[in-house]
Structure formats: structure tokens, C-alpha cells
Amino acid sequence: MAGSIERVTEAARQAGMEIEVRRMGASTRTSEEAAEQCGCGVDQIVKSLIFQGEATDGLYLFLLQGSSRLSLAKAQVLAGEKLKRADPRLIRDRTGFAIGGVSPIGHTAPVPAFAEDALLKHDAVWAAAGAHDAVFRAEPGKLLAAAKATVADIAE
Ligand code: 5CA
């Protein structure tokens, strides 16, 4: 999507974080593919999952290690409403990112975010940068701050 990578770079800059977006020339759509391309463990890949509130229709962003699974029960407690997986088209319309390239930062409208506490144990993590072959490396603390994410126990 035109401008997606630029939005990610600009959001990082506004949060005081200099990032270098890397186009890998191969798919980084899944955490496994991203880990292979980045030469890191799957747990160092940040998954950016978008869910939708059933009551409010609003979107929520959940950031997890690539190796973790989101606990829907814990996510619903944090959101304060029942959640469903958001439709890919809706995600694109409301965040400006296509599935496989959804970044933790740089959405076209602010999205309330929650992040798995375990992400903070890594020196560095890699996250999607707005395209299916684009990633960037970041200190997790800085990345979660840039995403304005509430750190919580959200994994199964
Ligand atoms: N680029 C990589 C990490 S750097 C990436 O985006 N991984 S991800 O895990 O954050 O995004 C893939 C996720 O998109 C999947 O885990 C899945 O939860 C979600 N997804 C895949 N297909 C669909 C779909 N049809 N509808 C809704 N969500 C989907």
C-alpha cells in the first residue's frame, strides 16, 4: 500500500526512534518467515494482531512474540468487551495496513494497543513495517512506548 512504510518511519521518528526499514526481497508475512529473513528467533518477531470490539465496533491492537498465542479471554478483559478477529478489508480501511504487513506503529488512526510483557526481555525485536516484505529492528521498550501499548499478560 502506497505510503505505508513512510507512515511507519514517520511514527517512529515522532516517538524519538530512528528505524531502518529493511525490504527483505522475500515474504515476511508470517512470524516464521520474518524470523527466517531476519536471522532471529520467532520469539523476537513482533506479531501485530488486530481485533474488533463486538459492542463498540472499535479496533484493538495486540502485540505478541511470534511464538506466543493471544489469550482471547485476557484480551477481552483488557478491552472491556467481547472481541472478534477483524476482517482483513476492515483492517486495511481503518489502519492503512494489509494483513502480513500490519505494523505496531503508524496506523492511519490511533488504535488502543496492548503488548505481551515477555517482549521486553529481548535486547531487540523485529516488527512489520507496513508491507509484506518490510521489517524494522527496535528495542522493545522503545517500540512499545511508540505504540503507546499497555504492557500486560496477554498470552495463553
Ligand atoms: N509481517 C509479520 C511479522 S513481522 C506479520 O505481520 N505477522 S503477524 O502475525 O502480525 O500477521 C499475520 C497475522 O495476521 C496472523 O497471525 C493472523 O492472526 C492474521 N491473519 C492472517 N490472515 C488473516 C485473515 N484472513 N483475517 C484476519 N487476520 C488474519
Side-chain angles (χ1 to χ4, degrees):
M1 183 174 299
S4 304
I5 292 176
E6 290 74 17
R7 276 205 322 276
V8 173
T9 308
E10 179 57 20
R13 199 188 61 74
Q14 282 182 12
M17 193 173 51
E18 286 296 325
I19 62 167
E20 185 192 340
V21 173
R22 294 188 56 186
R23 304 299 298 256
M24 304 312 260
S27 173
T28 56
R29 278 186 187 88
T30 67
S31 301
E32 289 75 16
E33 288 173 337
E36 194 180 322
Q37 291 301 316
C38 298
C40 69
V42 181
D43 55 343
Q44 280 175 273
I45 300 297
V46 182
K47 274 202 292 216
S48 305
L49 305 181
I50 302 278
F51 279 74
Q52 185 177 24
E54 290 192 356
T56 65
D57 203 44
L59 299 187
Y60 298 89
L61 171 66
F62 295 95
L63 305 175
L64 293 113
Q65 298 183 113
S67 52
S68 297
R69 281 182 62 89
L70 178 70
S71 161
L72 189 60
K74 292 175 185 173
Q76 289 179 155
V77 170
L78 288 165
E81 64 177 314
K82 286 219 166 207
L83 298 174
K84 62 184 178 188
R85 200 169 264 270
D87 174 74
R89 181 156 180 182
L90 183 92
I91 293 175
R92 206 176 53 185
D93 289 349
R94 291 222 209 145
T95 72
F97 295 125
I99 293 285
V102 176
S103 180
I105 58 174
H107 307 96
T108 47
V111 187
F114 298 93
E116 182 187 6
D117 41 14
L119 280 168
L120 293 168
K121 74 182 182 200
H122 302 291
D123 293 336
V125 294
W126 293 83
H132 60 80
D133 64 346
V135 290
F136 67 96
R137 192 172 186 271
E139 282 177 40
K142 288 187 180 170
L143 179 61
L144 301 194
K148 298 189 172 66
T150 301
V151 177
D153 166 24
I154 56 172
E156 265 182 0

